[in-house]
Amino acid sequence: MQAQPRASHHINGQFHETPDGAPLDVSYPATGDIIARLHAATPELVDRVVAEARAAQKGWARLTGSERGRVLRRAADLIRARNAEISRIETLDTGKALQETLVADAASAADCLEYFGGIAAAITGETVNLGDDFVYTRREPLGVCAGIGAWNYPMQIAAWKAAPALAAGNAFIFKPSEMTPLTALILAEILCEAGLPNGVFNVIQGFGDIGAALAAHPGIDKISLTGSVPTGSKVMGAAATTLKDVTMELGGKSPLIVFADADLEDAIGGAMLGNFYSTGQICSNGTRVFVEKPVYERFVERLQTRTEKIRIGDPLDPDTQMGPLISMAQRDKVLDYIASGQREGARLITGGTPLELQGFAGGAFIAPTVFADVTDDMTIAREEIFGPVMAVLPFAEESEVIDRANATPYGLAAGVFTRDLARAHRVIAALDAGTTWINTYNLTPVEAPFGGVKRSGIGRENSMAAINHYTRLKSVYVASGPVDSPY
Ligand code: NAD
């Protein structure tokens, strides 16, 4: 299995190699086989790409919104035309089942480019009348923005950051996760083919040090990170040296609350989607599933039955529903959490073990795992695991579950399952979270703002809200009379 790109980086409209950069090998998580050998960027390349992006940004910003939008929409069409090919590479890069990547990765990137392509022409200021004078405002691009990605949704993350930035007239530099560097290069290639001027969107590879160099670079005006909370703190610290604007999409330990009146099969389906999709490697997952006591045992029993039917195996087989974790290191980390759950007294309902699959000896497979009788103080109820491990916790009262759901430093997402409309809205309003769902879980259409509160993040991606995070507002006072000066 091979997925070697033409070169490691895509800058100024061309593939580019840095043979002297640190080696960056890419492995297929299902087998451990090396599928591509790349090199990290060098500090010199970072300076060069920033300079080229700065030079390219001015011309891009001078185009009308309609002209910019047309390029993004064309790119969306090109992505859709290559969906099967890109999805296969995304599966090789991440290990996620093809069944998922075919509908959730490149497809979501295309939706995002189409959406921001559509609204690029609608980015406007406003006019404020002040008697004979008036003020008008201009929404201007920030300049050069940079994005740093995580490994769970490589192409989607690149598009969610770049599309609003480009629509608003910024240039963009993206550094994918060192674990999943491949599909952002395809995005760069496609944007160029769609007519994006050279230098406006660039991809450079690298480890944390290259991310840190971007965060601190004086030639970059904004940094947007998708990653863990500790990395978020470091990136904000580095950005603070030049007072850069930041968007932070970080980790979570989100609550999903199931009331006794809910449609139980729907609630179980939501909980499974919110814990097992992408082998549990989703930041917004509802990893603390609070279930009201009257339906608790029935919920756990049906959940076990349905979880044990999940088809795990060859990610490229279209029937496979769950692939491996991103790496053996991630699998070891998840297994350590599972051991802590057992040690601390949670009831293991199903899973809990690594899986050895025939023909996939080096694969980071793990059985989807459910713990019941989890208490709030257990490690598995407090820390983000980033694997297919669901914690189910019983509760008795609405006010009690709200307090327990909010007792976390995170605040990315939350969900409520109930047939009681008033309660659904009341409980959602009381939860400290940025992205929430009623009677479903983890749907993230580009039309809806996405992001967290508390330590889960700053700023929002998607929707019109993202445009505000990639523009600055200038107010222009226009006088019509003589200057009234006492001097
Ligand atoms: P990570 O924090 O280890 O790495 C994220 C990115 O930051 C990588 O590209 C890495 O190279 C880079 N990086 C590392 N150190 C850096 C530094 N000092 N300065 C600048 N960049 C640095 O995260 P990960 O393990 O790749 O991804 C998993 C985490 O991401 C989880 O916590 C998950 O919840 C979070 N996540 C959040 C969202 C969201 O939208 N909120 C989405 C996906 C993942």
Side-chain angles (χ1 to χ4, degrees), residues 24 36 150 153 187 213 259 261 268 283 308 434 445 448:
L24 197 158
Y153 279 84
L187 178 63
F259 286 96
D261 69 341
I268 291 165
C283 51
E308 288 173 356

Side-chain angles (χ1 to χ4, degrees), residues 140 154 156 192 227 266 269 298-299 302 311 315 318 320 347 378 389 440 443 451 485:
E140 299 177 339
Q156 181 191 86
C192 286
D266 265 358
R298 196 145 54 89
F299 182 97
R302 280 292 300 149
R311 290 191 296 274
T320 294
R347 173 161 57 113
M378 289 179 186
V389 182
T440 188
L443 297 180
S485 169

Side-chain angles (χ1 to χ4, degrees), residues 147-153 156-157 160-161 174-180 206-215 223 225-236 238 248-253 281-285 326 330 333 384 386 410 412 450-452 456-457 461:
I148 303 174
W151 40 257
N152 57 345
Y153 279 84
Q156 181 191 86
I157 291 171
W160 280 20
K161 296 185 187 311
F174 186 71
K175 187 202 87 66
S177 164
E178 58 272 32
M179 313 283 285
T180 53
F207 299 86
D209 59 328
I210 295 298
L214 291 170
I223 190 102
L225 167 77
T226 297
S228 61
V229 175
T231 304
S233 295
K234 287 184 206 154
V235 170
M236 264 188 92
M248 293 281 150
E249 294 291 354
L250 309 177
K253 193 73 200 174
Q281 303 161 111
I282 298 185
C283 51
S284 51
N285 272 355
I326 186 72
Q330 185 67 10
K333 190 181 141 199
E384 183 182 50
F386 229 55
Y410 294 110
L412 184 51
F450 181 84
S456 289
E461 298 198 306

Side-chain angles (χ1 to χ4, degrees), residues 20 34 60 166 185 230 243 279 283 325 355 434 464:
D20 48 340
I34 302 294
W60 177 242
L166 298 178
L185 292 167
L243 285 174
T279 319
C283 51
L325 288 160
L355 296 175
M464 283 298 285

Side-chain angles (χ1 to χ4, degrees), residues 100-163:
E100 291 187 12
T101 53
L102 278 170
V103 296
D105 291 80
S108 149
D111 288 353
C112 183
L113 286 157
E114 186 172 53
Y115 175 86
F116 286 105
I119 64 173
I123 302 171
T124 58
E126 59 181 2
T127 313
V128 185
N129 290 329
L130 295 164
D132 291 337
D133 295 354
F134 66 99
V135 167
Y136 69 92
T137 62
R138 289 167 51 85
R139 255 203 189 279
E140 299 177 339
L142 298 173
V144 176
C145 304
I148 303 174
W151 40 257
N152 57 345
Y153 279 84
M155 196 186 212
Q156 181 191 86
I157 291 171
W160 280 20
K161 296 185 187 311

